[in-house]
Amino acid sequence: MIPFSVLDLSLITRGGSVGDAFRNTLDLAQRADGLGFVRYWLAEHHAMPGIASAATGILIGQVAAATHHIRVGAGGVMLPNHSPLVIAEQFGTLETLFPGRIDLGLGRAPGADQRTARALRRDPHAPERFASDVVELLQYFEPAAPEDTHLIHAIPGMGLRVPVWLLGSSLFSAVLAARLGLPYAFASHFAPGQMAEAVSLYRARFEPSARCPAPHVMLSVNIIAADDDAQGALLATSLQQYFIALRRGRPIAFPPPVADTSGLWSPAEQAMVDHTLSCTFAGSARSIMPRLRDFIARHEPDELLVALPIHDHGLRCHALELTAGMRTVLAAGSPTGS
């Protein structure tokens, strides 16, 4: 059975604080570590009232320090917001502190609205240099050769083979990841539209490298697992509200679920949410299992990255445990999910 990993946005919930979000992240990561998940990734977002993981590298260090076995990384760092040298130094530091446990996923989007993006990078052409910036970053992790005395070195970073992934929600990063021979993660949990085409293109064009000898695809999904289908559907209304607010240009703290969504959004907005969140699995473990099995069989990911967008932290932890149980059953090949 394919490995399962966790994607955490360090959710700031309505009624909670940033401190609560960080404490919840550390607790969830420790639970994921104990349950045998492979990776725990945090994502860079800025000026978002519901997301606390803006200083992604700092939070990765805290999570790695609080866990023992699980790989910890960025899913991802938005490279146009940063100098490649600075990211190489940051993740070289993390890899030195936690050897063999750090991943670096790179994205091209700003992780923010356009006004915030300008405040972050102050260069509107930075995304156009993404491909060359990725190549530059990879070079900083290479060992130094004697004739390279004139080059700039990342210290720490030089000679450390930090696994570098490309993240995307379109075809651009799929093509680039294939050309550079890097593992590829697709953001199907919120942008599934080009998932199948991107994965097919990546696999068809993949060029083996020392970093990744064969194509490796990770697909992200939302899992809102609960004790029964009714509770799962109720908990999913938090994510629906959150995305509606985001699309309206008024981001909010992650809201509690609501029993009745009548009148909260228009039919057109409902259609948008249904499409955007089509890779969301909500309900009991028994009802999620066959749908998740079908998703894996249809798209054949090498790894699954699971987001758990649930308002109540206790129920989020319960969903993590249910997901670990589903992974075990899927690995055993049970046809019924029981």
Side-chain angles (χ1 to χ4, degrees):
M1 185 58 197
I2 64 172
F4 278 33
S5 297
V6 176
L7 174 64
D8 183 12
L9 300 184
S10 200
L11 293 174
I12 306 170
T13 57
R14 186 180 300 167
S17 67
V18 172
D20 293 330
F22 289 155
R23 284 185 285 273
N24 291 343
T25 282
L26 294 177
D27 180 56
L28 193 69
Q30 289 170 335
R31 293 170 185 266
D33 194 17
L35 288 167
F37 287 84
V38 175
R39 308 176 203 278
Y40 196 92
W41 278 10
L42 296 141
E44 177 185 349
H45 291 272
H46 298 278
M48 299 286 283
I51 299 176
S53 51
T56 316
I58 295 175
L59 194 53
I60 287 170
Q62 293 296 308
V63 170
T67 53
H68 300 286
H69 307 291
I70 197 167
R71 298 189 65 89
V72 187
V77 161
M78 302 298 109
L79 190 57
N81 297 339
H82 311 277
S83 153
L85 176 60
V86 168
I87 296 303
E89 291 171 340
Q90 287 181 5
F91 280 78
T93 299
L94 289 166
E95 175 64 21
T96 302
L97 290 170
F98 308 102
R101 293 185 56 211
I102 300 299
D103 295 328
L104 173 54
L106 301 172
R108 186 169 62 113
D113 62 81
Q114 290 305 309
R115 187 173 61 175
T116 305
R118 287 193 294 271
L120 281 166
R121 60 177 174 247
R122 304 178 185 265
D123 179 359
H125 301 294
E128 299 168 16
R129 299 194 302 271
F130 181 70
S132 60
D133 281 353
V134 171
V135 171
E136 180 184 342
L137 176 54
L138 292 173
Q139 290 171 345
Y140 287 132
F141 288 130
E142 294 296 326
E147 63 273 16
D148 288 344
T149 55
H150 65 289
L151 297 180
I152 297 170
H153 299 301
I155 302 173
M158 182 176 61
L160 299 179
R161 280 305 181 94
V162 178
V164 175
W165 296 63
L166 290 194
L167 282 56
S169 57
S170 67
L171 306 184
F172 178 91
S173 290
V175 172
L176 182 59
R179 177 165 64 83
L180 297 178
L182 297 175
Y184 178 58
F186 192 89
S188 33
H189 67 296
F190 74 89
Q194 292 186 293
M195 174 181 60
E197 186 179 2
V199 169
S200 177
L201 196 60
Y202 167 74
R203 286 175 170 151
R205 297 193 182 184
F206 184 82
E207 300 178 20
S209 70
R211 286 182 167 273
C212 190
H216 189 97
V217 172
M218 179 155 60
L219 299 179
S220 57
V221 298
N222 299 301
I223 293 186
I224 304 174
D227 288 334
D228 57 56
D229 289 344
Q231 186 184 32
L234 173 65
L235 296 179
T237 63
S238 293
L239 185 61
Q240 294 167 352
Q241 294 175 77
Y242 185 78
F243 265 93
I244 292 291
L246 207 57
R247 291 302 173 95
R248 289 174 177 173
R250 299 193 293 272
I252 57 175
F254 198 74
V258 291
D260 184 6
T261 62
S262 302
L264 294 183
W265 48 76
S266 69
E269 288 174 323
Q270 181 66 59
M272 177 276 297
V273 165
D274 290 344
H275 171 73
T276 299
L277 302 180
S278 61
C279 293
T280 296
F281 301 87
S284 67
R286 179 177 289 273
S287 69
I288 289 174
M289 192 93 63
R291 289 180 281 146
L292 194 59
R293 183 185 290 111
D294 289 346
F295 177 87
I296 294 169
R298 186 165 63 253
H299 300 291
E300 298 183 318
D302 300 292
E303 194 166 339
L304 212 61
L305 185 63
V306 174
L308 303 157
I310 297 171
H311 179 269
D312 181 86
H313 180 64
L315 294 176
R316 193 183 309 147
C317 293
H318 185 48
L320 182 75
E321 293 167 355
L322 291 173
T323 301
M326 287 188 279
R327 178 199 61 201
T328 301
V329 172
L330 287 168
S334 168
T336 62
S338 58

